[in-house]
Amino acid sequence: MNRLLQYTAGIIFSLCLMIVLLFTSVEAAVYWIPGYFEKEYTKYNVAQTVSMTTDDLLDITGEMMSYLRGKRDNLHVETTMGGVEREFFNAREIAHMEDVRGLFLGALSIRRGCLMVMALCLVVLLLLKTDFKRTFPRAVCAGTGIFFFLSAVIAIIISTDFTRYFIMFHHIFFKNDLWMLDPTTDMLINIVPEGFFRDTVFLIGFIYLFSILLIFAICLFLMGKIKRKHLAA
């Protein structure tokens, strides 16, 4: 019974870890990689499309990303487009971005909750006097293996028809049609076209799967090391 509780706590820890890694991969892709937005804007000729300088466009992007993290109260941002001073985002775009911010901040809250559960699992394992070198790597390996398989399957499915699943995502997570923007009137869809989202989703997937594989490899290494010591004893 004690061993079962140990493995259960270890697997719950690893599942929470996978959720933490997922949301951290999203954050890493859009916040931690220097020059990512500039590279994507150059790739899709965004500055020319919206008649802005690259510096002004990156300033707008910075304000938008600060808003998503809750570091800015609103998205009423003034800029220069085609030599004319104007507010960049219109009312519909601002309303949609409020929904997006809700999702993003919600994800960060879930990540914090998972970190708390992970800490609790470690406490439980300590109270159960768990042999961390033997039990913990096996439990984490099992959890990461399951998540890697599921993530790989999902990634393959999405890659077959990104547009379809991109639309499906919006139908699932948004309860209105504010995400259906018009490129002739809404600048948001022009600065982050579908190609940008495709590149970003694939980047997130790469970071996430690489992180899972790294943890899985570390666990396998530790298990192998313990096994070799046991055979040598």
Side-chain angles (χ1 to χ4, degrees), residues 104-150:
F104 191 80
L105 294 179
L108 295 182
S109 295
I110 293 173
R111 183 174 66 177
R112 287 192 293 269
C114 286
L115 288 172
M116 293 174 64
V117 173
M118 289 167 64
L120 179 61
C121 287
L122 290 177
V123 171
V124 170
L125 290 170
L126 287 172
L127 292 175
L128 293 173
K129 298 180 180 180
T130 303
D131 182 356
F132 277 87
K133 291 182 179 180
R134 185 178 299 276
T135 305
F136 195 62
R138 291 180 182 177
V140 174
C141 197
T144 53
I146 293 170
F147 254 79
F148 180 80
F149 175 76
L150 293 176

Side-chain angles (χ1 to χ4, degrees), residues 154-169:
I154 292 172
I156 292 171
I157 292 173
I158 291 175
S159 67
T160 61
D161 191 345
F162 178 82
T163 301
R164 176 187 176 188
Y165 293 105
F166 182 65
I167 294 173
M168 188 181 297
F169 168 86

